Amino acid sequence: MNKTVNQKAWFLVLPVLVLVAFSAVIPLMTVVNYSVQDTFGNNEFFWAGLEWFKEMLESDRMWNALGRQAVFSAVILAIEIPLGIFVALNMPKSGFWASVCLVLMSLPLLIPWNVVGTIWQIFGRVDIGLLGYTLDGMGISYNYTQDPLAAWLTIVVMDVWHWTSLVALLAYAGLKSIPDAYYQAAKIDQASRWKVFRYIELPKMMGVLMIAILLRFMDSFMIYTEPFVVTGGGPGNATTMLSIDLVKMALGQFDLGPAAAFSIMYFLVILLISWVFYTVMTNLDKRDGA
Amino acid sequence: MAKITLDNLAHSYLPNPKSEDDFALKEMNHDWQDGAAYALLGSSGCGKSTLLNIISGLLRPSQGRILFDGRDVTDAPTAERNIAQVFQFPVVYDTMTVRDNLAFPLRNRGRDESYVAERVQEIGRMIGMEHMLDRKARGLTADAKQKISLGRGMVRKDVNALLFDEPLTVIDPHMKWELRTQLKKLHADFGHTMIYVTHDQTEALTFADKVVVMYDGRVVQIGTPDELFEVPEHTFVGYFIGSPGMNVIPARVEGTTASIEGTELKLSRGYDALSGKVEIGIRPEFLHLSQSEGMPVTVRRVEDVGRHKIIRAELFGHDINIIADEDEHISADMNRVTFDAAQLNVYVNDWRVAGEAA
């Protein structure tokens, strides 16, 4: 077949280009612009080169926030992925109770972030919150506004409560796609429950699990609202995650230059890790398709 | 290896079956001999997979018992029955190598590694995959995967029976022949009791010593391929086996005469007065077109299928098929048909009536 050559066809791409330019490219470039300049007010800018990047890379503040962020993401992945799989394995496969489970599991996912934060903020209060009051009554010292450990526990448990369903639902979808014959063959081969999981369920779930891990990683790495509502980043800086720190710097202190450099590095880190995930996932697909 | 006995067996997928219609598998009593190759043949939804799953223990029958060599295994779980099953879609453990796949059933039963290694090597050779034992099972072709599941079934020497649930559905036609031949050979070499579910008559007839024809949840006939061809016990058997199937024509039968719409036909056997839906069945192979003798027919068209000719015709408003030899000349004035009386069967309510020798 002969291909028709018509350069006017480029115009068809134009709407998308315009849209992406306004929604992503231009805002990003504004940030890039701030990151390489300095200002003393009056809307006058001076070229600063890589000064801000150097400053940020040398500042403990950013490294600490990054460290906290990495620990937070690692902890919630380590809890939510196994827990989600466990929940999915124990959900009924069909019938009335399967629907009930699905609806109940979807509920936390439908609640807006700041509402979730508010719920847990009140829930954990020692004076009026059910959880805080009960723990206090049992003689356990729990106060998320003063104790860093309590603050961490609160936001981790909150995130697990909010997002484990997502992992569970994805894993459940993966499990449902396994034909019965696999389980029957396993019975005939006298495979133990663990081996069924290890050699049938886990390999078949791998694809959706990678998506679950990627989604949970990105979301948790960019978390802002919930810890902001519950702890405001405190006590001290104990729960100041990257984005909370960034907002403090950009809008609280109005340090546009450092904040812009910070943003760009933050963006690059997420991009890098997502790229790694994407590569691993496509390789998995390729192995399946071969 | 074992003799399999179905005792009063019936199954319904409903919790409280009321009428016979609620049963996917109607009550049946059969003995299946040790070491024979059986094919379960029937159209989709006739209950053949249900029966197979009951035998393998994946399903508990709602009524009756199942015995292996006289031992009641109705409540025994699949693993205890010691059977092997190959499914319609190849089931392999993707993340394992071919070798580990074959070793899996043995290792799960705690056999020692030297025995496992020896057995796996042997089976690998048997299914012709010796050279790729160390490959990952992921990414193999469907027929290679199906060979692995077959091998996993054969790896245990002491299996009571090997069950096949339409195992060649996803296999390319040219590979089907090869695999089927291999199966036959394995059966001849090792003498396992084999049960092979299929809806393909060629597959059933070439594979099995005995074909079990199922229809609407019932076993309608168990017989050798010859028996099924010559004396179908049920009109379904006549219709389902053969290409084209048996002609079934409504008729009145009295003594040794049958009459179709008033035209009489001499039978080779005598029958008592029959009541119900009476039909005569005759295979297209035993009908002959003629210029002068027999009943009047209208020939609609002649199909030449290479080996022979199939004549589609109409006999008193009923569609019938006639098979003529490839070199037989069919002329326009051949508008009569004769019956090979010895090959004609009489059916009442779809079941064959034997009659007495006249």
Side-chain angles (χ1 to χ4, degrees), chain B residues 16 38 46 56 89 107 125 143 147 151 171-172 198 207 209 218 223 294-295 314 317 320 330-331 334 337:
Chain B
N16 297 306
Y38 287 92
C46 71
S56 63
F89 297 99
R107 286 192 182 140
R125 187 166 350 109
D143 45 81
K147 276 188 195 170
I171 310 297
D172 283 347
T198 177
F207 171 79
D209 309 327
R218 240 184 272 273
M295 295 190 185
E314 209 175 275
I320 60 167
I330 313 280
S331 60
M334 291 175 104
V337 65

PDB file of all heavy atoms in Angstrom, chain B residues 16 38 46 56 89 107 125 143 147 151 171-172 198 207 209 218 223 294-295 314 317 320 330-331 334 337:
ATOM      1  N   ASN B  16     -31.516 -28.142  45.862  1.00  0.00           N
ATOM      2  CA  ASN B  16     -32.667 -29.012  46.079  1.00  0.00           C
ATOM      3  C   ASN B  16     -33.320 -29.403  44.766  1.00  0.00           C
ATOM      4  O   ASN B  16     -34.344 -28.844  44.376  1.00  0.00           O
ATOM      5  CB  ASN B  16     -33.723 -28.307  46.962  1.00  0.00           C
ATOM      6  CG  ASN B  16     -33.170 -28.019  48.335  1.00  0.00           C
ATOM      7  OD1 ASN B  16     -32.674 -28.913  49.017  1.00  0.00           O
ATOM      8  ND2 ASN B  16     -33.229 -26.752  48.725  1.00  0.00           N
ATOM      9  N   TYR B  38     -11.410 -45.257  27.399  1.00  0.00           N
ATOM     10  CA  TYR B  38     -12.783 -44.851  27.138  1.00  0.00           C
ATOM     11  C   TYR B  38     -12.811 -43.437  26.579  1.00  0.00           C
ATOM     12  O   TYR B  38     -12.013 -42.598  26.982  1.00  0.00           O
ATOM     13  CB  TYR B  38     -13.592 -44.848  28.429  1.00  0.00           C
ATOM     14  CG  TYR B  38     -13.937 -46.220  28.953  1.00  0.00           C
ATOM     15  CD1 TYR B  38     -13.101 -46.858  29.858  1.00  0.00           C
ATOM     16  CD2 TYR B  38     -15.095 -46.864  28.541  1.00  0.00           C
ATOM     17  CE1 TYR B  38     -13.414 -48.116  30.339  1.00  0.00           C
ATOM     18  CE2 TYR B  38     -15.417 -48.120  29.012  1.00  0.00           C
ATOM     19  CZ  TYR B  38     -14.571 -48.750  29.908  1.00  0.00           C
ATOM     20  OH  TYR B  38     -14.880 -49.984  30.381  1.00  0.00           O
ATOM     21  N   CYS B  46     -23.810 -31.773  27.782  1.00  0.00           N
ATOM     22  CA  CYS B  46     -24.523 -33.023  27.986  1.00  0.00           C
ATOM     23  C   CYS B  46     -24.113 -33.681  29.298  1.00  0.00           C
ATOM     24  O   CYS B  46     -24.605 -34.735  29.649  1.00  0.00           O
ATOM     25  CB  CYS B  46     -24.278 -33.973  26.828  1.00  0.00           C
ATOM     26  SG  CYS B  46     -22.606 -34.626  26.821  1.00  0.00           S
ATOM     27  N   SER B  56     -12.890 -37.524  39.082  1.00  0.00           N
ATOM     28  CA  SER B  56     -11.619 -37.032  39.604  1.00  0.00           C
ATOM     29  C   SER B  56     -11.756 -36.482  41.022  1.00  0.00           C
ATOM     30  O   SER B  56     -10.761 -36.222  41.674  1.00  0.00           O
ATOM     31  CB  SER B  56     -11.032 -35.973  38.687  1.00  0.00           C
ATOM     32  OG  SER B  56     -11.884 -34.867  38.618  1.00  0.00           O
ATOM     33  N   PHE B  89      -7.504 -26.380  28.611  1.00  0.00           N
ATOM     34  CA  PHE B  89      -6.442 -25.418  28.387  1.00  0.00           C
ATOM     35  C   PHE B  89      -5.220 -25.877  29.151  1.00  0.00           C
ATOM     36  O   PHE B  89      -5.332 -26.295  30.286  1.00  0.00           O
ATOM     37  CB  PHE B  89      -6.887 -24.026  28.820  1.00  0.00           C
ATOM     38  CG  PHE B  89      -8.028 -23.540  28.009  1.00  0.00           C
ATOM     39  CD1 PHE B  89      -9.324 -23.630  28.483  1.00  0.00           C
ATOM     40  CD2 PHE B  89      -7.821 -23.060  26.726  1.00  0.00           C
ATOM     41  CE1 PHE B  89     -10.391 -23.236  27.702  1.00  0.00           C
ATOM     42  CE2 PHE B  89      -8.883 -22.662  25.945  1.00  0.00           C
ATOM     43  CZ  PHE B  89     -10.171 -22.756  26.434  1.00  0.00           C
ATOM     44  N   ARG B 107       7.396 -34.457  43.821  1.00  0.00           N
ATOM     45  CA  ARG B 107       7.981 -33.757  44.978  1.00  0.00           C
ATOM     46  C   ARG B 107       6.920 -33.481  46.029  1.00  0.00           C
ATOM     47  O   ARG B 107       7.179 -33.593  47.222  1.00  0.00           O
ATOM     48  CB  ARG B 107       8.611 -32.439  44.528  1.00  0.00           C
ATOM     49  CG  ARG B 107       9.909 -32.677  43.778  1.00  0.00           C
ATOM     50  CD  ARG B 107      10.682 -31.401  43.575  1.00  0.00           C
ATOM     51  NE  ARG B 107      11.902 -31.691  42.814  1.00  0.00           N
ATOM     52  CZ  ARG B 107      12.378 -30.917  41.863  1.00  0.00           C
ATOM     53  NH1 ARG B 107      11.765 -29.792  41.561  1.00  0.00           N
ATOM     54  NH2 ARG B 107      13.479 -31.251  41.218  1.00  0.00           N
ATOM     55  N   ARG B 125      11.531 -37.853  27.857  1.00  0.00           N
ATOM     56  CA  ARG B 125      11.786 -38.555  26.611  1.00  0.00           C
ATOM     57  C   ARG B 125      10.467 -38.996  25.977  1.00  0.00           C
ATOM     58  O   ARG B 125      10.238 -38.856  24.791  1.00  0.00           O
ATOM     59  CB  ARG B 125      12.688 -39.758  26.888  1.00  0.00           C
ATOM     60  CG  ARG B 125      13.149 -40.475  25.627  1.00  0.00           C
ATOM     61  CD  ARG B 125      14.312 -41.435  25.902  1.00  0.00           C
ATOM     62  NE  ARG B 125      14.887 -41.306  27.227  1.00  0.00           N
ATOM     63  CZ  ARG B 125      14.723 -42.241  28.196  1.00  0.00           C
ATOM     64  NH1 ARG B 125      14.003 -43.313  27.972  1.00  0.00           N
ATOM     65  NH2 ARG B 125      15.299 -42.060  29.367  1.00  0.00           N
ATOM     66  N   ASP B 143       0.890 -26.439  22.289  1.00  0.00           N
ATOM     67  CA  ASP B 143       0.987 -27.897  22.279  1.00  0.00           C
ATOM     68  C   ASP B 143       2.139 -28.400  23.143  1.00  0.00           C
ATOM     69  O   ASP B 143       2.034 -29.450  23.765  1.00  0.00           O
ATOM     70  CB  ASP B 143       1.041 -28.465  20.854  1.00  0.00           C
ATOM     71  CG  ASP B 143       1.972 -27.711  19.948  1.00  0.00           C
ATOM     72  OD1 ASP B 143       3.173 -27.969  20.016  1.00  0.00           O
ATOM     73  OD2 ASP B 143       1.470 -26.854  19.205  1.00  0.00           O
ATOM     74  N   LYS B 147       1.672 -30.891  26.251  1.00  0.00           N
ATOM     75  CA  LYS B 147       2.494 -32.084  26.448  1.00  0.00           C
ATOM     76  C   LYS B 147       3.025 -32.130  27.871  1.00  0.00           C
ATOM     77  O   LYS B 147       3.116 -33.201  28.468  1.00  0.00           O
ATOM     78  CB  LYS B 147       3.685 -32.065  25.479  1.00  0.00           C
ATOM     79  CG  LYS B 147       3.361 -32.593  24.101  1.00  0.00           C
ATOM     80  CD  LYS B 147       4.663 -32.711  23.332  1.00  0.00           C
ATOM     81  CE  LYS B 147       4.447 -32.882  21.856  1.00  0.00           C
ATOM     82  NZ  LYS B 147       5.720 -32.759  21.137  1.00  0.00           N
ATOM     83  N   GLY B 151       2.517 -34.929  30.525  1.00  0.00           N
ATOM     84  CA  GLY B 151       3.644 -35.546  31.218  1.00  0.00           C
ATOM     85  C   GLY B 151       3.461 -35.515  32.722  1.00  0.00           C
ATOM     86  O   GLY B 151       3.782 -36.486  33.410  1.00  0.00           O
ATOM     87  N   ILE B 171      -5.064 -27.130  20.317  1.00  0.00           N
ATOM     88  CA  ILE B 171      -3.894 -27.579  19.568  1.00  0.00           C
ATOM     89  C   ILE B 171      -4.142 -27.445  18.073  1.00  0.00           C
ATOM     90  O   ILE B 171      -5.248 -27.687  17.596  1.00  0.00           O
ATOM     91  CB  ILE B 171      -3.590 -29.063  19.917  1.00  0.00           C
ATOM     92  CG1 ILE B 171      -3.552 -29.256  21.425  1.00  0.00           C
ATOM     93  CG2 ILE B 171      -2.302 -29.522  19.265  1.00  0.00           C
ATOM     94  CD1 ILE B 171      -2.479 -28.513  22.136  1.00  0.00           C
ATOM     95  N   ASP B 172      -3.120 -27.071  17.340  1.00  0.00           N
ATOM     96  CA  ASP B 172      -3.222 -26.970  15.877  1.00  0.00           C
ATOM     97  C   ASP B 172      -3.578 -28.323  15.277  1.00  0.00           C
ATOM     98  O   ASP B 172      -3.110 -29.354  15.763  1.00  0.00           O
ATOM     99  CB  ASP B 172      -1.880 -26.525  15.286  1.00  0.00           C
ATOM    100  CG  ASP B 172      -1.651 -25.047  15.483  1.00  0.00           C
ATOM    101  OD1 ASP B 172      -2.625 -24.352  15.836  1.00  0.00           O
ATOM    102  OD2 ASP B 172      -0.510 -24.593  15.308  1.00  0.00           O
ATOM    103  N   THR B 198     -14.567 -35.674  24.879  1.00  0.00           N
ATOM    104  CA  THR B 198     -14.466 -34.903  23.636  1.00  0.00           C
ATOM    105  C   THR B 198     -15.848 -34.734  23.014  1.00  0.00           C
ATOM    106  O   THR B 198     -16.781 -35.456  23.349  1.00  0.00           O
ATOM    107  CB  THR B 198     -13.533 -35.597  22.630  1.00  0.00           C
ATOM    108  OG1 THR B 198     -13.512 -34.854  21.424  1.00  0.00           O
ATOM    109  CG2 THR B 198     -13.979 -37.014  22.339  1.00  0.00           C
ATOM    110  N   PHE B 207      -9.422 -42.811  19.271  1.00  0.00           N
ATOM    111  CA  PHE B 207      -8.680 -42.973  20.518  1.00  0.00           C
ATOM    112  C   PHE B 207      -9.117 -44.197  21.319  1.00  0.00           C
ATOM    113  O   PHE B 207      -8.282 -44.903  21.878  1.00  0.00           O
ATOM    114  CB  PHE B 207      -8.850 -41.717  21.386  1.00  0.00           C
ATOM    115  CG  PHE B 207      -8.301 -41.865  22.769  1.00  0.00           C
ATOM    116  CD1 PHE B 207      -6.939 -41.745  22.988  1.00  0.00           C
ATOM    117  CD2 PHE B 207      -9.131 -42.152  23.841  1.00  0.00           C
ATOM    118  CE1 PHE B 207      -6.418 -41.894  24.255  1.00  0.00           C
ATOM    119  CE2 PHE B 207      -8.615 -42.309  25.104  1.00  0.00           C
ATOM    120  CZ  PHE B 207      -7.251 -42.183  25.320  1.00  0.00           C
ATOM    121  N   ASP B 209     -11.089 -47.646  23.009  1.00  0.00           N
ATOM    122  CA  ASP B 209     -11.577 -49.010  22.807  1.00  0.00           C
ATOM    123  C   ASP B 209     -13.101 -48.982  22.888  1.00  0.00           C
ATOM    124  O   ASP B 209     -13.794 -49.647  22.158  1.00  0.00           O
ATOM    125  CB  ASP B 209     -11.079 -49.938  23.918  1.00  0.00           C
ATOM    126  CG  ASP B 209      -9.585 -49.840  24.120  1.00  0.00           C
ATOM    127  OD1 ASP B 209      -8.891 -49.605  23.129  1.00  0.00           O
ATOM    128  OD2 ASP B 209      -9.124 -49.986  25.271  1.00  0.00           O
ATOM    129  N   ARG B 218     -27.383 -38.215  30.273  1.00  0.00           N
ATOM    130  CA  ARG B 218     -27.526 -39.668  30.346  1.00  0.00           C
ATOM    131  C   ARG B 218     -26.470 -40.328  29.478  1.00  0.00           C
ATOM    132  O   ARG B 218     -26.079 -39.777  28.455  1.00  0.00           O
ATOM    133  CB  ARG B 218     -28.882 -40.044  29.759  1.00  0.00           C
ATOM    134  CG  ARG B 218     -29.813 -40.741  30.680  1.00  0.00           C
ATOM    135  CD  ARG B 218     -31.043 -41.122  29.907  1.00  0.00           C
ATOM    136  NE  ARG B 218     -32.011 -40.042  29.938  1.00  0.00           N
ATOM    137  CZ  ARG B 218     -32.901 -39.904  30.920  1.00  0.00           C
ATOM    138  NH1 ARG B 218     -32.939 -40.752  31.899  1.00  0.00           N
ATOM    139  NH2 ARG B 218     -33.760 -38.905  30.910  1.00  0.00           N
ATOM    140  N   GLY B 223     -20.121 -48.509  23.700  1.00  0.00           N
ATOM    141  CA  GLY B 223     -19.837 -49.555  22.730  1.00  0.00           C
ATOM    142  C   GLY B 223     -18.556 -49.306  21.986  1.00  0.00           C
ATOM    143  O   GLY B 223     -17.931 -48.242  22.114  1.00  0.00           O
ATOM    144  N   GLY B 294     -37.882 -49.265  -5.290  1.00  0.00           N
ATOM    145  CA  GLY B 294     -37.911 -48.546  -4.027  1.00  0.00           C
ATOM    146  C   GLY B 294     -38.893 -47.404  -3.981  1.00  0.00           C
ATOM    147  O   GLY B 294     -39.802 -47.302  -4.800  1.00  0.00           O
ATOM    148  N   MET B 295     -38.699 -46.549  -2.997  1.00  0.00           N
ATOM    149  CA  MET B 295     -39.628 -45.455  -2.741  1.00  0.00           C
ATOM    150  C   MET B 295     -39.247 -44.224  -3.545  1.00  0.00           C
ATOM    151  O   MET B 295     -38.075 -43.973  -3.799  1.00  0.00           O
ATOM    152  CB  MET B 295     -39.593 -45.088  -1.262  1.00  0.00           C
ATOM    153  CG  MET B 295     -40.092 -46.184  -0.367  1.00  0.00           C
ATOM    154  SD  MET B 295     -40.281 -45.541   1.272  1.00  0.00           S
ATOM    155  CE  MET B 295     -40.724 -47.041   2.115  1.00  0.00           C
ATOM    156  N   GLU B 314     -35.263 -35.687  -0.574  1.00  0.00           N
ATOM    157  CA  GLU B 314     -36.464 -35.532   0.216  1.00  0.00           C
ATOM    158  C   GLU B 314     -37.342 -36.757   0.010  1.00  0.00           C
ATOM    159  O   GLU B 314     -37.604 -37.137  -1.137  1.00  0.00           O
ATOM    160  CB  GLU B 314     -37.198 -34.268  -0.239  1.00  0.00           C
ATOM    161  CG  GLU B 314     -38.010 -33.622   0.836  1.00  0.00           C
ATOM    162  CD  GLU B 314     -38.609 -32.326   0.335  1.00  0.00           C
ATOM    163  OE1 GLU B 314     -37.922 -31.277   0.396  1.00  0.00           O
ATOM    164  OE2 GLU B 314     -39.749 -32.384  -0.155  1.00  0.00           O
ATOM    165  N   GLY B 317     -41.389 -35.572   2.143  1.00  0.00           N
ATOM    166  CA  GLY B 317     -41.276 -34.357   2.950  1.00  0.00           C
ATOM    167  C   GLY B 317     -40.217 -34.409   4.042  1.00  0.00           C
ATOM    168  O   GLY B 317     -40.036 -33.447   4.781  1.00  0.00           O
ATOM    169  N   ILE B 320     -33.485 -36.477   3.784  1.00  0.00           N
ATOM    170  CA  ILE B 320     -32.616 -37.623   4.024  1.00  0.00           C
ATOM    171  C   ILE B 320     -31.302 -37.442   3.272  1.00  0.00           C
ATOM    172  O   ILE B 320     -31.203 -36.632   2.344  1.00  0.00           O
ATOM    173  CB  ILE B 320     -33.269 -38.967   3.599  1.00  0.00           C
ATOM    174  CG1 ILE B 320     -33.600 -38.954   2.094  1.00  0.00           C
ATOM    175  CG2 ILE B 320     -34.502 -39.275   4.424  1.00  0.00           C
ATOM    176  CD1 ILE B 320     -33.936 -40.327   1.554  1.00  0.00           C
ATOM    177  N   ILE B 330     -24.657 -40.703 -11.110  1.00  0.00           N
ATOM    178  CA  ILE B 330     -25.986 -40.282 -10.665  1.00  0.00           C
ATOM    179  C   ILE B 330     -26.663 -39.583 -11.831  1.00  0.00           C
ATOM    180  O   ILE B 330     -26.190 -38.552 -12.308  1.00  0.00           O
ATOM    181  CB  ILE B 330     -25.889 -39.284  -9.488  1.00  0.00           C
ATOM    182  CG1 ILE B 330     -24.908 -39.781  -8.414  1.00  0.00           C
ATOM    183  CG2 ILE B 330     -27.269 -38.989  -8.930  1.00  0.00           C
ATOM    184  CD1 ILE B 330     -25.439 -40.797  -7.477  1.00  0.00           C
ATOM    185  N   SER B 331     -27.773 -40.153 -12.302  1.00  0.00           N
ATOM    186  CA  SER B 331     -28.445 -39.519 -13.426  1.00  0.00           C
ATOM    187  C   SER B 331     -29.739 -38.869 -12.964  1.00  0.00           C
ATOM    188  O   SER B 331     -30.230 -39.143 -11.865  1.00  0.00           O
ATOM    189  CB  SER B 331     -28.722 -40.551 -14.514  1.00  0.00           C
ATOM    190  OG  SER B 331     -29.537 -41.563 -13.975  1.00  0.00           O
ATOM    191  N   MET B 334     -32.820 -40.951 -11.718  1.00  0.00           N
ATOM    192  CA  MET B 334     -32.766 -41.807 -10.529  1.00  0.00           C
ATOM    193  C   MET B 334     -33.611 -41.160  -9.443  1.00  0.00           C
ATOM    194  O   MET B 334     -33.147 -40.313  -8.690  1.00  0.00           O
ATOM    195  CB  MET B 334     -31.318 -41.959 -10.057  1.00  0.00           C
ATOM    196  CG  MET B 334     -30.464 -42.767 -11.008  1.00  0.00           C
ATOM    197  SD  MET B 334     -28.759 -42.777 -10.488  1.00  0.00           S
ATOM    198  CE  MET B 334     -28.606 -44.391  -9.811  1.00  0.00           C
ATOM    199  N   VAL B 337     -35.430 -44.771  -4.122  1.00  0.00           N
ATOM    200  CA  VAL B 337     -34.394 -45.159  -3.172  1.00  0.00           C
ATOM    201  C   VAL B 337     -34.719 -46.517  -2.565  1.00  0.00           C
ATOM    202  O   VAL B 337     -35.880 -46.811  -2.262  1.00  0.00           O
ATOM    203  CB  VAL B 337     -34.213 -44.074  -2.074  1.00  0.00           C
ATOM    204  CG1 VAL B 337     -35.449 -43.954  -1.219  1.00  0.00           C
ATOM    205  CG2 VAL B 337     -32.997 -44.370  -1.212  1.00  0.00           C
TER     206      VAL B 337
END
